[in-house]
Amino acid sequence: MAKVFIYPATSLMLSDLVARYGHKPLGSALSVREHIQAGGFDSPPLQITPEDPKKGLHWAAVEVPSGVRGRMSLYGPLVEEADAAIIIEESDFAFGCMGCARTNELLIFLLKQKGVPVLELSYPKTKEEGVTFVASIRTFLAELGGEKA
Amino acid sequence: MKEYNPEYVGTETKYIFVDSPTTTPQDLAIAAYEVAMGVMIKETCFGVQVTGTPDEVRRIVERLRKIDPFHIFIKDRGFPPGDERRCRANLGGSRPGYLGHEYEIGLSRFISHGLKETDTMKPEDLKKTAQPFKREPPLDIEELASIIEEEA
C-alpha cells in the first residue's frame, strides 16, 4: 500500500479513488484531524498556533508570508510521507486567496522536486473523459502495487 | 489564552457521499445503523458521516460501499460532526468546505460512468484507455493581437 498525496488536498474524488484501489490518500483532513485532536492552547478554528509557521520554515523560506508557512505546517509532513502524487491541474475549486495560491504552487513544486511518481490529470467534463480519468488513475495506482479492486 | 481540551481523541470521521438514482442517504443511514454497534452515525443531505475508531469506521465503510459501489464516494474528514467550529448550526450559511463538495459531486456522474466502464476492463485495456494529461497550448501572440484589433 502506497501513500499517495492528492492535489487538491481536499478532493473527494481523488481521496475515494485512491482508497478504493487499495492505497492511502494523503489529504488535508489527516493533518487537520491531528491538529484538532492535540491538546494545548485554544486556537480556533484549526488549532494553528504560532508554533506552526515556525514548523513551516522547514519547507518555505523565512521571507515567505506566515500564511504560506502555516499552511505548509499542515501539508509539509504529508509531502514528506508521500510515495506518489496525483495532481489535478488547474482545478477550479482549489482557487483561493494569495496564501492558498502560493501554497498550492509550492506544493506542486515540492512534489515534483521530490522525484516520486506523479500523475497529472484534469477533471472530466464528459462521460468519455470520466472513463479516461478513472482508467488513468487505476493504471497509475496499479503500477505502485497493491491494487485490490 | 485558554486551555484546549480536544474531543473524540483517537477517532476518525469519514464522509460517505451518495449520488445515485437508487440509493438515498436514508438507505445508507439505515444500513450503517444495522452494523453500527455504538459507532456515531450522522445522516446528512448528501449521505452520512461515520465517527469511531479507525477499525470500526473501516468496517462500516466497507459495508456501505458494497450497497452501490459506483455511486458512493468516501473521504476523510478532519472535524467530528457537529463541531462548533465547522457546524453550520453555529456559524450560519454553508459549512466551510461545502463548495468543494458541491463542485465535485457535480462531476460524480462522469466518474460513476468511468468506474462502471473500467470495472470489467483488463489491465491491458486500462492502459490503452488511460491518456496522459494534455495541457492546452497557450494563446498564440498573433491570435491575441488579432482579437485586440477586432475588439478595438
Side-chain angles (χ1 to χ4, degrees):
Chain A
M1 184 180 71
K3 292 177 179 174
V4 183
F5 188 89
I6 53 171
Y7 175 86
T10 52
S11 172
L12 161 67
M13 293 306 169
L14 289 185
S15 185
D16 178 83
L17 290 170
V18 170
R20 188 184 286 257
Y21 297 121
H23 297 279
K24 185 180 180 189
L26 299 178
S28 50
L30 304 186
S31 300
V32 170
R33 182 184 295 151
E34 201 177 298
H35 268 73
I36 65 153
Q37 289 192 1
F41 290 112
D42 195 24
S43 182
L46 292 175
Q47 285 302 115
I48 298 282
T49 61
E51 285 303 307
D52 286 296
K54 291 181 199 163
K55 286 182 200 154
L57 280 172
H58 189 70
W59 300 278
V62 71
E63 63 266 32
V64 171
S66 57
V68 175
R69 285 185 278 123
R71 286 170 173 86
M72 283 313 295
S73 70
L74 291 176
Y75 295 124
L78 299 177
V79 173
E80 301 266 306
E81 232 182 297
D83 302 318
I86 301 180
I87 296 172
I88 297 195
E89 289 272 335
E90 293 168 17
S91 41
D92 288 347
F93 96 86
F95 179 81
C97 62
M98 202 45 97
C100 290
R102 293 288 168 258
T103 311
N104 288 346
E105 282 178 9
L106 181 59
L107 263 180
I108 293 174
F109 172 75
L110 288 174
L111 287 167
K112 289 183 176 171
Q113 281 286 99
K114 196 169 189 263
V116 292
V118 174
L119 174 69
E120 288 177 85
L121 292 165
S122 56
Y123 273 122
K125 295 182 190 76
T126 60
K127 283 189 169 182
E128 290 69 36
E129 283 183 20
V131 178
T132 314
F133 184 83
V134 177
S136 304
I137 291 177
R138 262 189 88 166
T139 311
F140 177 74
L141 294 174
E143 283 165 5
L144 300 174
E147 185 178 5
K148 70 169 185 186
Chain B
M1 280 184 132
K2 65 175 183 178
E3 198 182 347
Y4 174 61
N5 294 310
E7 291 178 319
Y8 304 108
V9 176
T11 64
E12 64 175 40
T13 301
K14 296 251 189 206
Y15 277 125
I16 298 153
F17 290 77
V18 62
D19 186 23
S20 165
T22 52
T23 313
T24 63
Q26 194 182 11
D27 298 333
L28 284 187
I30 291 168
Y33 278 123
E34 282 172 3
V35 291
M37 293 164 69
V39 176
M40 193 201 307
I41 311 285
K42 185 177 188 298
E43 184 186 340
T44 68
C45 59
F46 52 75
V48 293
Q49 296 179 54
V50 181
T51 303
T53 63
D55 285 341
E56 290 169 334
V57 173
R58 195 177 313 118
R59 176 173 58 80
I60 295 170
V61 159
E62 280 173 9
R63 166 83 180 81
L64 294 185
R65 201 193 275 282
K66 282 179 193 155
I67 296 174
D68 197 347
F70 302 137
H71 297 100
I72 285 176
F73 301 95
I74 299 165
K75 71 169 270 195
D76 279 289
R77 185 183 183 191
F79 287 89
D83 191 291
E84 286 188 6
R85 292 163 290 189
R86 276 291 177 270
C87 182
R88 61 194 284 261
N90 310 95
L91 299 177
S94 347
R95 176 179 53 72
Y98 173 79
L99 296 173
H101 295 153
E102 189 186 32
Y103 177 80
E104 282 205 310
I105 213 71
L107 306 171
S108 69
R109 61 190 188 277
F110 308 136
I111 313 263
S112 294
H113 179 74
L115 286 170
K116 211 172 184 179
E117 291 293 309
T118 56
D119 191 45
T120 49
M121 277 189 191
K122 289 179 183 155
E124 310 87 65
D125 297 328
L126 274 176
K127 265 191 186 167
K128 276 182 211 159
T129 314
Q131 282 174 9
F133 172 66
K134 288 186 207 123
R135 190 174 278 109
E136 283 186 18
L139 186 65
D140 185 64
I141 187 73
E142 285 177 11
E143 200 178 327
L144 177 66
S146 71
I147 293 170
I148 294 170
E149 277 168 23
E150 272 175 32
E151 293 289 317

